[in-house]
Amino acid sequence: MKEIEWGEPTLPIVHIPEWEEEVKARMGKVPDILKRVSRIPWLRMAILRWPWYQAQEFSRSLSDICALVTAQENACRYCYGVARSQLRLFGYSEKMISNIEREMQMADLDEKERAFVQFSRNLSRSNPRPPKADRDKLIRLGFSPLAVAEMAFLIGNHCFVNRVSTFLAIPPMAGLERLSDSLIGRIFRPLIARKIRKLAWKESNVLNGSAESFPGVVQALRGLPAAKALNDAFQGAFESSVLSKELKVLMFAVVARSLECSFCEQETRTMAADLGFSTEEFDRALQALTSPRLSEQERKLLEWTRETIHFQPGPMQRQTRALAEEIEEEMLLEAFGVAALANSTVRIAVLLD
Amino acid sequence: MAWYNYLIIGLSLLSIFMVVWVIRQHKKSEKLEQLLKHTTKKLERLQVHFGRFTPEEVIEHLTESGGGYQANMRTVTVLFADLKGFTKMCNEMDPQQVVTILNGYFRSMSNALSVHHGQVTELMGDGLLALFGALRPNPWQVQDAVAGALAMRNALAEYNEELKEKGFPELAFGIGIHQGRVLAGVMGNFELSKFGVVGDTINIAARIESLTRVHNCDLLITEEVRSALDDRFDLKEMPALPVKGVQKPVVTYQVQGIHHSWSA
């Protein structure tokens, strides 16, 4: 963890009393990250719920490991610290964690679990996105297709939180990190673990009707609470008026093109056509990473989007800090969310390949 | 002594032996674990550094399987830059000063290129070869290469100011950019190998660079590059000239800059 370059937060804390009360009622306290995303309702809701998503189709231990592996792959110092500390509090030994991080062959995992960890790594990294054979392998090893779909969502979900945390440079949770190895932490481990487990979020409503944005991706998750969770995030992101819808569609298109997801690029084409873009205009905007439909600030955000796919946290945070000097804070915050959501969506869309 | 006393002594000795053996084994395993940790950390650091020159997939393949990496064809944009009049400078100046000037030049150019996602893969004398889209797919590789070359132009102007202040002669370069398919893979033998690309695309970029002397300009691109560029770049078509290795005379375009409406 010491090797991860991590700077000061890029955006300040904004107190919104009613939001903080809601968070407190659910979590008992308000973590730093939820104060920094408070101004964008859809984003704060996703950050409140998504990290606690409870998988239905595979074991809790795989979900725990997934959080660690994606945070490690994305080099998110904040999430990595949280995931590691939580695993310790859940009773995983330091040796086991270290083996998962460094030498999976030596970790006490069976073949199915190893395949899952490898899939988590490959999908998080997406350089290139894992081929269909990787999903077939998981199914061959005994996971159901729905479980594999939920895995893709869970990985995308963690990638989303990893990205938002990295763009914001959220300070690591030093208290939690200390607690996991302290004497008190060891003595009260079962109690603390139970308290953390209680935060698990299970989407109780199912998705009714068809999804408006990226229906194919949402459809791939149909039958899982993830479908509703993802659809809510899309709806919130595209209905928010902080950034123009044109910019958001183009941001998704940039990520889709970078990760060579023809399905997602086609979806963005359809969305752009609904906004009045001609094919030539859309192609030109995507080629030059600009459009006359965007404001000066939005053009900068579109250019920045391509940097959000593969990055090192330190240089990325320096870049976003520089951007913060030119872009309104609220706009930048929503752009963090949209870029993170686009990156996750294109990763989840691997299910459609 | 009764037989059971011998048994007790024997068992005690055996227990002591067992305890000593367990302790030694434990220490040995601790040492091995430390060695493993240390080696893994070293490997991780090596992977990070290696990642600056080689695609992640290649590193992953080499470290996981240990086998050879299957070379493949990929589309890349090649930028070749060469200093003009450098041989004369070498003959006239103190070698140490020449090296200092050259190092400063390469540092400045590499910085300009890396901002635009370019990867400097070769420094050959005063020549520089940069690739775009070799490490990972880059749909904007052509735009990046031309924007990178324009950034090099600005960086060279700044560097020349620095040289002028120190009383050194100013530098001038020529740049050729071409896009095409290359064979990418790990090249070399057991003693010396590296990730690299080979193909006519590299040679053509170098030959286009040499045309900058004929056309008396600093930055030329081929038709392949022009056709993939967007209209923000201000281009001027140059007369077709024969180029070694290409059947028909090659039309090139001088990149003058970015149109005012775009840079505003």
Side-chain angles (χ1 to χ4, degrees):
Chain A
M1 280 198 286
K2 283 180 205 152
E3 285 150 21
I4 302 174
E5 192 188 339
W6 202 254
E8 292 298 307
T10 48
L11 289 178
I13 283 174
V14 174
H15 293 288
I16 297 179
E18 58 272 28
W19 166 243
E20 290 186 9
E21 272 170 33
E22 190 183 335
V23 176
K24 222 172 189 172
R26 194 179 128 65
M27 302 185 76
K29 62 175 188 171
V30 189
D32 183 293
I33 186 169
L34 289 168
K35 293 179 199 159
R36 290 186 202 272
V37 296
S38 61
R39 278 177 290 187
I40 305 290
W42 73 267
L43 178 59
R44 71 187 188 197
M45 219 51 199
I47 294 291
L48 174 67
R49 290 171 164 179
W50 283 26
W52 306 104
Y53 177 86
Q54 200 178 352
Q56 315 284 292
E57 300 294 320
F58 50 88
S59 71
R60 205 164 60 177
S61 65
L62 283 186
S63 296
D64 296 339
I65 294 172
C66 181
L68 178 79
V69 170
T70 52
Q72 188 192 9
E73 275 304 320
N74 290 316
C76 173
R77 172 63 186 83
Y78 170 78
C79 302
Y80 191 31
V82 172
R84 226 179 179 286
S85 308
Q86 285 185 354
L87 282 184
R88 293 287 289 128
L89 292 167
F90 293 157
Y92 290 77
S93 69
E94 182 59 42
K95 195 174 172 186
M96 169 81 166
I97 295 171
S98 181
N99 280 340
I100 295 169
E101 289 167 346
R102 293 173 189 280
E103 195 45 78
M104 211 176 34
Q105 294 307 320
M106 290 177 69
D108 192 15
L109 300 172
D110 62 27
E111 199 186 350
K112 272 175 84 172
E113 291 166 330
R114 284 204 183 107
F116 168 78
V117 172
Q118 200 52 52
F119 183 63
S120 301
R121 282 201 195 290
N122 293 347
L123 190 56
S124 307
R125 193 180 302 165
S126 281
N127 186 29
R129 291 189 311 155
K132 189 174 178 292
D134 285 16
R135 282 184 287 129
D136 292 345
K137 184 182 174 187
L138 289 166
I139 292 168
R140 231 179 16 253
L141 287 170
F143 289 110
S144 68
L146 204 56
V148 176
E150 194 167 40
M151 283 171 190
F153 171 75
L154 194 68
I155 298 160
N157 167 346
H158 286 302
C159 285
F160 173 79
V161 183
N162 293 164
R163 273 183 170 68
V164 173
S165 308
T166 303
F167 300 155
L168 281 164
I170 302 292
M173 290 182 82
L176 180 72
E177 288 177 19
R178 269 196 308 271
L179 179 68
S180 61
D181 281 320
S182 68
L183 184 64
I184 293 178
R186 284 178 200 184
I187 294 169
F188 294 106
R189 198 169 269 175
L191 287 175
I192 301 168
R194 191 185 296 174
K195 204 176 168 199
I196 295 174
R197 293 283 191 209
K198 272 189 178 167
L199 292 173
W201 169 64
K202 198 175 165 187
E203 176 61 67
S204 44
N205 300 318
V206 288
L207 176 64
N208 293 316
S210 57
E212 272 183 34
S213 311
F214 296 93
V217 182
V218 176
Q219 191 59 36
L221 301 172
R222 190 71 81 164
L224 295 167
K228 173 89 169 57
L230 188 62
N231 191 56
D232 284 354
F234 284 145
Q235 260 186 329
F238 283 105
E239 280 169 12
S240 170
S241 56
V242 177
L243 297 174
S244 72
K245 202 168 178 183
E246 284 81 355
L247 171 65
K248 285 179 261 192
V249 169
L250 284 169
M251 285 174 80
F252 270 80
V254 165
V255 178
R257 183 167 281 192
S258 292
L259 291 176
E260 299 180 318
C261 176
S262 51
F263 173 82
C264 290
E265 192 174 326
Q266 190 48 48
E267 289 271 316
T268 57
R269 273 180 193 283
T270 311
M271 290 162 95
D274 291 344
L275 292 169
F277 276 88
S278 67
T279 307
E280 296 73 33
E281 189 188 2
F282 182 75
D283 283 338
R284 191 170 174 269
L286 206 48
Q287 189 186 31
L289 293 177
T290 187
S291 163
R293 292 172 184 252
L294 304 179
S295 68
E296 193 52 41
Q297 291 191 326
E298 287 189 326
R299 286 179 197 187
K300 288 189 173 121
L301 290 173
L302 184 62
E303 263 181 47
W304 166 80
T305 305
R306 65 177 289 208
E307 312 295 343
T308 66
I309 296 146
H310 303 286
F311 56 83
Q312 295 288 327
M316 165 52 78
Q317 287 167 358
R318 282 195 290 279
Q319 213 171 352
T320 47
R321 208 166 288 114
L323 209 57
E325 286 172 16
E326 300 176 275
I327 314 276
E328 283 170 41
E329 285 178 357
E330 209 175 358
M331 288 176 78
L332 190 57
L333 182 59
E334 178 150 283
F336 288 171
V338 174
L341 186 60
N343 270 283
S344 297
T345 305
V346 177
R347 280 166 173 81
I348 298 168
V350 78
L351 295 168
L352 304 165
D353 286 348
Chain B
M1 273 207 293
W3 66 270
Y4 50 82
N5 285 336
Y6 287 109
L7 184 68
I8 290 168
I9 292 168
L11 282 174
S12 304
L13 284 173
L14 189 67
S15 313
I16 291 167
F17 174 76
M18 291 281 281
V19 169
V20 170
W21 186 80
V22 167
I23 291 171
R24 286 186 68 175
Q25 287 301 313
H26 183 70
K27 278 189 178 169
K28 208 172 164 183
S29 114
E30 265 185 353
K31 267 188 186 170
L32 282 173
E33 264 182 37
Q34 272 180 351
L35 184 68
L36 181 68
K37 257 188 193 170
H38 179 71
T39 315
T40 314
K41 274 196 172 175
K42 261 171 79 174
L43 182 65
E44 278 174 357
R45 276 199 296 271
L46 198 64
Q47 281 185 333
V48 169
H49 290 298
F50 205 35
R52 283 156 45 202
F53 317 107
T54 307
E56 282 166 20
E57 54 178 312
V58 180
I59 301 173
E60 194 80 8
H61 187 91
L62 294 177
T63 52
E64 289 297 323
S65 74
Y69 175 74
Q70 189 81 39
N72 55 55
M73 295 297 287
R74 56 182 79 179
T75 300
V76 298
T77 302
V78 179
L79 179 152
F80 187 79
D82 202 26
L83 283 175
K84 291 175 177 173
F86 190 72
T87 315
K88 190 171 166 252
M89 191 191 277
C90 286
N91 294 333
E92 291 170 357
M93 285 181 72
D94 173 53
Q96 193 51 50
Q97 282 181 342
V98 173
V99 171
T100 309
I101 290 174
L102 202 55
N103 287 346
Y105 164 76
F106 283 137
R107 196 169 41 245
S108 170
M109 297 305 116
S110 298
N111 289 344
L113 287 167
S114 65
V115 170
H116 294 277
H117 307 94
Q119 177 213 357
V120 178
T121 55
E122 297 271 357
L123 300 175
M124 298 153 289
D126 59 329
L128 176 155
L129 178 74
L131 302 175
F132 295 78
L135 287 189
R136 54 172 67 111
N138 175 0
W140 297 279
Q141 53 178 264
V142 162
Q143 278 80 357
D144 282 344
V146 178
L150 291 174
M152 283 172 74
R153 187 187 273 169
N154 291 338
L156 185 66
E158 275 178 30
Y159 187 53
N160 275 337
E161 287 295 316
E162 212 180 293
L163 292 176
K164 210 159 72 180
E165 276 174 24
K166 290 177 183 164
F168 291 138
E170 291 183 27
L171 301 176
F173 62 31
I175 298 176
I177 303 176
H178 181 54
Q179 188 193 39
R181 303 277 287 167
V182 293
L183 183 68
V186 180
M187 322 268 172
N189 55 23
F190 185 75
E191 284 81 18
L192 177 66
S193 62
K194 63 167 195 162
F195 174 80
V197 296
V198 285
D200 258 355
T201 308
I202 312 280
N203 303 331
I204 292 173
R207 284 163 195 156
I208 296 301
E209 183 281 322
S210 64
L211 289 184
T212 59
R213 287 157 178 82
V214 184
H215 291 308
N216 197 25
C217 62
D218 65 346
L219 173 50
L220 287 173
I221 60 171
T222 58
E223 177 58 36
E224 285 78 358
V225 174
R226 190 209 62 82
S227 62
L229 272 185
D230 57 78
D231 51 8
R232 88 187 103 146
F233 298 97
D234 184 7
L235 307 175
K236 183 182 167 192
E237 188 174 333
M238 307 306 273
L241 286 175
V243 167
K244 192 181 160 194
V246 183
Q247 279 187 333
K248 284 182 185 170
V250 175
V251 175
T252 52
Y253 299 83
Q254 182 192 348
V255 184
Q256 309 198 106
I258 289 184
H259 283 299
H260 252 321
S261 54
W262 287 86
S263 55

